[in-house]
Amino acid sequence: MHQTLLTLIPIVPFLSALILFSVRLPKILVTTLAVSSIGVAALCVLAIQLTSATDFTPIQAVLGQWLDVAGVKLSFAFYLDGLSLMMISIICGVGWLIHVFSAAFMQQDCDYRRYFCYLNLFVAAMLILVLADNLLLLYLGWEGVGLCSYLLIGFWHDKRSNNIAANKAFIMTRIGDTAMLLGLLLLFWQFGSLNISEINQQAALQMGTNDVMINLSCLLLFIGAAGKSAQFPLQNWLPDAMAGPTPVSALIHAATMVTAGIYLIARNISLFSAANDTLQLIAVVGTITLLLGASAAMVQSDLKRILAYSTISQLGYMFLALGVGANGAASFHLMTHAFFKALLFLAAGALIYCMHHQHNIFKMGGLARKMPVITAAFITGCAALSALPLLSGFFSKELILGQVISGDHWWLWLGGVLGGFCTAFYSARLVLVVFFGPVQQQPNKKVPIMMSAVLVALIMLSIFGGMMPASINAQFPAASVELTPLQHYLPIASPFIAMALAFLCWRSGLFGAPLKSPLVRTLHSWLLNGWQFDWLYQQIFVRPYFFITRLNRHDIIDGFYRAIERLMLALHRLTSLTQNGSLRLYNASILLFVLGALAWVILSGGVV
Amino acid sequence: MIIPLGWLVSFSLALFAIGVFGVVARRNLIFIMISIEIMLNAVALLFVAGSTLHPGSDGQIIYLLILAMAAAEVAIGLALVITMFRRWQSLDVDLLSKMRG
């Protein structure tokens, strides 16, 4: 029973994507098919959730053999445990809500069918990624979601900047993917298997050994995860990925795909536990990323870019948690983040939809009266994002910071608290600038009912989603933590201080005001461009690359073949000199040859 | 009296050399053909002279063969000469260098 449901979950969206791809259906049927296919998958997940015990026993479903070559046995097999159950609940649940939202959001788009085809394909690939029982199948899903992300970022492909953004996302994640593939091969070389459970069982025997090869393969896997999850130093594709339709940003670039990296590490936690150095690196990278994202989000003026940097920063928290071994906390934050970030993105989508496709927050203002649902959505989402007490984000972030400090990582903890401070600051700034103050621009549309309904559902999830799923708790039991009052209250108090500060700044009109001092202006533009990573990569990689290509414009390798060609041509000219058509010369040369031949025969002793 | 063989060989060689010189140095096609005839006759003379040294008549038979071949060659050669003259109104072989590589 469970096996059948499990196989249905990824297959139904995939079939729907295939149908949408190949058959030209009327709009209403496209909507029905796309939304209901995810709905069916969500119902299957719900059925599994309801009928299984709280401490979830893993189920496995084998569809068939995939590869059986030289001792490698891989099958199309799905594996469901507490972690993947939580993931598929998010993917199908939030994914379904976003599909419903998209149906309203994309109503006027002429490429309606293509949009839903990609979106369904994405959900199918993501489900395969999450449910895969071996790393190669996971890699298949991994590439699948990367492809869909590329297609959807460049969805409005008649604008050149969108295509460039899509290329950037694809290439940056490809760097990570390549590292990940190398990591897979290295793991196979060491363990002789690609089955996730087998690898982790074998690695568990070497727990804490800090073996060099395991460290190396974990590092490679982490680079893959960092590429997909937009971690430092591969983070700068995500803000540009906002070129896609907003529901896509919500589904792919906030709630699900970018969490694939966290899932990968959480999934192979026994393996990573044998690589302490890599885990420490992950924690440090997570902290850098969360500070980078949070600080950059403080100065953005594009609504979606604020949310994008915020996503980077929240993913940084998750990696920080993974790095200190707080797997459960990371997964928990993954879930709550999926709720409130999907909420924020969808609310942003609805806002942009109603506001003449305006992205600049300083062109908005005083919208609280006009759009109560969107305002409520933003306030709830931002409050959960800033981890205000009793909202979902609070519980998960508290858990992460508690686990960090209990591992005696003082600096990382301080980074996390500082990040939380910045998070609350930019959240408050966003809400204040957009929804309060003088009215700048009137909305030209009303919020469609369907959008409002989805927003309300997500508001509920963001408020009440702060309960640790039992299956996660059973799989990764969190150690109870003793905190000193400072450690306990500083993370709780700092968002309030930040919000008060933001309110003061807003009251005195600091947000959006022109900058006078050159130092501040430099700092502002440095933060605005996300610590100038685009510029840095331009200097380090793109320009030397162009320099080398210019040097090698006439291809050195080709030069060799061209030299052969030249030699042949010269020889040809030389020999064709003798072909001058002069009969007398021919005669003379025949004579000379005969004379020479005779002389040779005579001198060498004659013919026998 | 019998002419000594050495003389015959020397004479034949001299004739052949004259022929070769004619083939290489002459530009007129008819003279080239005559030079070829001279070379053929030089060789034929050598065969006849050689046949006196050996019993049997092999040398003379070969001479007849060369004679027949020379006749055939002349027939073809003169035909070519006529064709060339019709085409260029001249027999200068240096004109025939249009097919250079």
Side-chain angles (χ1 to χ4, degrees), chain A residues 455-478:
Chain A
L455 288 181
V456 170
L458 280 169
I459 288 175
M460 291 302 150
L461 281 174
S462 300
I463 295 177
F464 301 112
M467 278 195 307
M468 182 77 143
S471 55
I472 291 294
N473 222 353
Q475 196 172 355
F476 309 114

Side-chain angles (χ1 to χ4, degrees), chain A residues 509-555:
Chain A
L510 272 181
F511 293 140
L515 302 165
K516 293 205 183 66
S517 134
L519 186 70
V520 176
R521 210 178 297 142
T522 317
L523 184 69
H524 182 267
S525 83
W526 186 66
L527 286 177
L528 190 68
N529 295 315
W531 294 13
Q532 300 280 26
F533 267 92
D534 283 341
W535 176 83
L536 195 67
Y537 290 158
Q538 189 79 19
Q539 299 296 320
I540 297 180
F541 297 111
V542 179
R543 286 191 43 185
Y545 178 76
F546 275 125
F547 178 70
I548 292 169
T549 48
R550 252 197 300 278
L551 276 188
N552 194 19
R553 186 182 290 153
H554 305 294
D555 200 345

Side-chain angles (χ1 to χ4, degrees), chain A residues 163-174:
Chain A
N163 296 328
I164 293 173
N167 282 343
K168 186 174 174 187
F170 197 70
I171 292 166
M172 298 283 298
T173 49
R174 177 115 323 246

